[in-house]
Amino acid sequence: MVGPEDDIMKLDKDSLRKDFSKDYKSYYSTELFEREGFIRKKCKACGKNFWTLDADRELCGDSEHEPYSFFTGKTSDINYADFWKKFAKFFKENGHSEIEKYPVVSRWRQDLYFTIASIQDFQRIENGRISFEYSENPLIVPQMCMRFNDIQNVGVTGRHLTAFMMAGQHAFNYPKEGYWRDRTMELNFKFLTEILGVKKKSLTYTEDVWAMGDFSEFGPCIEAFSNGLELVNNVFTQFESSNGKVSELKGRVVDVGWGFERLIWFKSGKQTLYDSVFKEQLEYIHRNMGIKPDHAKYGSVASIAGYIDIDASKAGENYEQEIMRRSGISREDYYSTIKPMQSAYAVADHMRTLLFGITDGALPSNVGGGYNLRVILRRVFDIVNEYGMDIDLMKLIESHARELKPVYPDIDTAIDEIGTIIDVERKRYNSTKSSANAIIDSIIRKKEKLTAEKLRTLYESNGIAPEYIAKELGKKGIDVEVPENFYTSIVKSDFVEGRKEKRSKIDIDVSGISKTKKLFYDFAEEAKAKVLKVENNMVVLDSTPFYAESGGQEADHGTINGIRVEDVQSVEGVIVHMMQSKPDLKVGQAVECRVDAERRARLMAHHTATHLISAAARQVLGKHAWQEGAKKSAEKAHIDVAHYEKLTEAQVKEIESTANKYILNGIKVAVEEMGRSEAESRFGFSIYQGHGVPAATMRIVQIHDLSGRLIDAEACGGLHLMNREGMIGIIRIIGSYRIHDGIDRLEFVAGPAALDYINSMDRTLKSIAASANIDLDKLEAGVGQKLGELREYAKEYSKLSDELSGYVAKEIAESAKGSSLARRLDYDRKMLRSIASKAVLIDTKAIVILYNSAGEAVCAAGEHSGMSAVQFITENSKKLIGNSFKGGGSERIAEGKLTK
């Protein structure tokens, strides 16, 4: 039995299940089971305990060892929105409030990319512990969730999805009681038998355990099955563990996750969940796919599909062979009828997932959770190509949106953006495909062994699907074994990798010191304070007017008793001042603090401008243009913005113009502290721009125009131009570039820094005019004339350089002799690129690396070299040159720097 402060319990599911089962009356038995006469049994197949009204039953009902048996001869079409209304009506009549879904992009959980369960809506992590924030109790929520750990099962098992509604039913037992196991199971049984129509004798309840990944919270759960299908999981989160100690939660949580699509499937009696939920989309796909679905043949597969779970650990039989063996269907029928139907199911699912993901602000990319969206979109492209589907993917998106809108009113708000994103991604996909055949030819010529890791590299680096490689090599009599779990193995984990709490820049022990009183939020520039600690050049005060570096805003500078303050950092709420030299200060001594007011004003101007540019980017680009990072210094600032392609000059100018219009029309900055639930309710999850960390109390910085219209609201601990908004003056974007896939950086100046920039540009123009002996007011025409002369010189220089590069390229090609070559030539990078490009045009089988004494390197690959230039130089520069390569490029050309 689990008890408070139990420190000897093993925290794994098998051990906990045994512990809970020993005292099953405390953890699994309910008034319902006793009243209805349920019998407790042990499953003959898996050994789990379960409850049933069927005295002859020997299996728990799980589809892993029991076929689907709820298909009916007479099926019915069930409208998604209408069935949600019926579900919601039942629970509202039984004391629950209905709330709107949360976004599928998990902005409030820093450790997760996507929402993977309905209970996640209410979880907030602070100081490593989970707390719950909820607006109603008890409640239901139509939460769309996204999971990518079963991609290859989608379309095959009849039940797997990458996006699904977890119809959440939740009761929170703190600070006041909600309800617990008896009430939960009463409602469960009533809905299943009276609304869904489950026959009581076919219903089984299986005892199991639910836990967080680290077992920080866990409890018993009761899974409901009928006719081989799991319908709902009733989780009773009851315990927490910390430092090896287990104790009962102060606020126990009822966490019931109804598989909404499964409920519709069960009710409809159709062969697959996909046929039940995606009727309109599948009709469109089949109509334009050139096949007619044969549900009579599929019937032999449908009932046993639940046994299938694609897993690389299986030996001797792949999942396709297993399906054919279990169903008795012929190989010909499987590949001509069953597999195309499975592929159509996957397309319908994947497009709905993309609809939700992009609408809520995620983008296909090579970074984080965006990579999973790119994987499923490219999987759709692969399937469309393989089966020659003549389908418009946007018609599928629009069809899904129409059906879902009654439940999710904002689901159609990003339709235009989705169309553009799909077009951009298709161009990238087609570009990678153009190089596939050359790479495959190289594999054949070199007789390379295609390991799972090599297939993964070819997919991630070159975008070549393993199925395409297997098909093309199969034509040449070469067998390729594609791992069954290939796509599952390449997708990113649900959890954010490497996101950890930031470590302090300084090393100082602040234990026993109270948190510093922050005078800077009152905009104090001078203050008296008392010294609490002095260590080397670090000083801790009881209160301070100095802002500590945070949220990308640099720290205040100034003086303490006349000694220069060069940096300020916060350590566990204690603010530490880094002095220019070791100060002669004593603990308990009173000191005078003076902030550099001009520097602070510059920082505040840049911080307020950051919020304005963030708002402008969303207005110009769309709500997907999420702020992914920012930095504000006294001299300039930058903001990192999510976008599906590199920003154009016109887009940058429009963002700048929009931000400046906010200023010209007048803005008002206000700061308000409020509870987290209130902040999320009033302003939505865009308050977490820049990945701000949720806290119990949020400091919300709001910018309105003079009519009171909200421009931007963000959770922010920085300093802003309150009551001095006019000081921001003008915003000038001075640079824009791609920092990695899906993210653009905008560098800008505002306020005093913008004036400095304009004055600097003015001095530069005057200097140019003087150097060229041209009047400033005639500079444009005069420079044009000078540029014309320079162009003539440039033409002559280019002609000579072209001739020289041709001679050198010929010699390089002759030396390469159809193989690889690396050579140092002391020309600039442009000349190296020209020589290398010409050399591989002369010898199309060659691959050439040229580098200079400055460490610049260029690699060019001939059309028939069978190698990617960027891949070759990355993998071979250390061996051929002695230095590693850092840079980028494409199949034909790569360039960058050599590093030790």
Side-chain angles (χ1 to χ4, degrees), residues 289 291 334-345 387:
M289 189 178 178
I291 69 159
Y334 177 79
Y335 284 105
S336 65
T337 302
I338 306 304
K339 195 164 185 181
M341 290 176 69
Q342 293 171 339
S343 297
Y345 294 150
Y387 291 101

Side-chain angles (χ1 to χ4, degrees), residues 3 51 63 88 149 154 193 287 466 495 507 516 537 622 788 894:
W51 299 77
S63 60
N149 57 327
V154 174
T193 56
R287 192 165 58 245
F495 287 86
D507 183 16
T516 310
N537 67 328

Side-chain angles (χ1 to χ4, degrees), residues 129 160 201 304 327 346 359 393 416 446 480 528 577 661 673 692 763 836:
R129 297 183 72 87
H160 279 96
K201 206 169 181 179
I304 59 92
S327 66
T359 299
L393 296 180
D416 291 341
K446 296 180 179 180
V480 176
K528 292 181 179 179
H577 308 77
K661 282 178 183 175
E673 287 198 351
R763 287 192 299 272

